[in-house]
Amino acid sequence: MTRLHINVDHVATLRQARGTCYPDPIPAAAMAEMAGAQGITIHLREDRRHIVDRDLELMRKVVTTLLNLEMAATDEMIGIARVVRPDMCTLVPERRSERTTEGGLVVAGDLAGVSAAVGSLHEAGIRVSLFIAAKSEEIEASRRAGADMVELHTGEYCDAPRSRRALELARIAEGAKQAADLGLAVAAGHGLHYHNVRQVADIPEIEELNIGHAIIARAVFCGMEAAVREMLVSMGER
Ligand code: PXP
């Protein structure tokens, strides 16, 4: 069984585009849960371009499944997480000019910094996942940094031309196995869509997927609950 966590950031993107108070990501999260999502993910970015602090505070109160906060490993974000206490934090790299999170976290290049961030979140009772490329050295470094989970970046698989897709998928599968053998829980995400999700969901070590853009985009036409249910069907979970 693979759990589906819904990233509702892009409901907030639509709200921020006009500076209105709607659409509100809070009811979107509740609807996703009613449709069968097992977790809600939000990314509080340094520039607050979509999710804002008020969303995080309210999500903590209304999410009944599991709240995963994506964030950069900065002092500001770690301070906020330690107060709000999501169930899990996923540490991601953040660059202001990027449209969305582009690469994985470079854990091997900053083992001391990442380990300190993980330790500080653990002290507050928060589980920690690291969003990384499915590379052997990053997986090994994630274990050494004390992470509970790794989220393997599926962007290259999703963007690959048909001729390279099997190779990218094999990299993710190998990474998932290595991580699980090291005792890490394994998630995956980024760029997943209704037509390319099944192959990733079928990798036995991957227990959780984080999916946002494709589901919110479909929800514009068919509603949040239907969009979540259709994704569960595409994953082979219904
Ligand atoms: N996982 C992580 C760590 C992300 O940063 C994102 C994008 O916010 C996602 C998953 C979801 O990606 P997408 O919106 O392409 O489904």
Side-chain angles (χ1 to χ4, degrees):
M1 197 201 129
T2 315
R3 298 186 298 274
L4 173 60
H5 286 203
I6 310 289
N7 180 317
V8 295
D9 292 351
H10 295 307
V11 176
T13 300
L14 199 54
R15 175 190 64 192
Q16 302 307 102
R18 293 293 293 271
T20 47
C21 58
Y22 64 87
D24 192 330
I26 308 297
M31 284 177 170
E33 288 187 322
M34 283 190 276
Q38 288 106 336
I40 301 297
T41 295
I42 52 174
H43 185 172
L44 184 67
R45 296 184 78 103
E46 185 197 10
D47 63 9
R48 311 301 198 265
R49 70 170 72 156
H50 38 50
I51 293 295
V52 297
D53 299 67
R54 161 267 185 206
D55 300 329
L56 172 61
E57 283 152 29
L58 287 176
M59 287 287 179
R60 178 63 296 181
K61 295 196 174 110
V62 305
V63 167
T64 57
T65 52
L66 187 145
L67 180 62
N68 174 28
L69 174 63
E70 273 181 31
M71 58 181 227
T74 60
D75 290 347
E76 182 202 11
M77 288 301 152
I78 291 169
I80 290 172
R82 284 171 59 99
V83 171
V84 178
R85 290 178 180 236
D87 301 290
M88 172 164 286
C89 283
T90 299
L91 300 181
V92 300
E94 210 173 281
R95 279 186 295 275
R96 238 174 220 226
S97 58
E98 69 192 355
R99 227 183 275 166
T100 177
T101 315
E102 274 164 9
L105 199 64
V106 181
V107 186
D110 182 22
L111 193 57
V114 177
S115 304
V118 171
S120 179
L121 292 165
H122 276 170
E123 255 175 39
I126 304 166
R127 294 184 78 221
V128 183
S129 178
L130 303 179
F131 182 53
I132 57 167
K135 289 186 185 155
S136 182
E137 67 270 24
E138 292 300 335
I139 294 164
E140 174 59 36
S142 298
R143 188 195 59 81
R144 289 175 60 201
D148 303 285
M149 178 181 249
V150 285
E151 180 177 339
L152 302 178
H153 198 314
T154 50
E156 288 189 14
Y157 156 71
C158 295
D159 294 341
R162 195 176 288 270
S163 58
R164 266 206 10 247
R165 216 168 288 156
L167 180 73
E168 295 296 344
L169 189 66
R171 283 202 184 125
I172 296 168
E174 270 167 40
K177 178 154 189 344
Q178 183 193 350
D181 286 348
L182 290 172
L184 291 159
V186 189
H190 209 281
L192 292 171
H193 216 293
Y194 293 85
H195 55 79
N196 61 17
V197 72
R198 182 65 188 258
Q199 291 84 343
V200 178
D202 281 349
I203 296 172
E205 292 84 5
I206 294 183
E207 52 191 79
E208 182 182 300
L209 297 179
N210 278 294
I211 309 182
H213 190 261
I215 293 175
I216 304 306
R218 184 163 295 205
V220 170
F221 295 107
C222 68
M224 193 67 195
E225 294 190 52
V228 171
R229 276 195 217 103
E230 280 178 38
M231 184 57 80
L232 286 164
V233 170
S234 296
M235 288 165 60
E237 293 296 325
R238 288 282 159 92

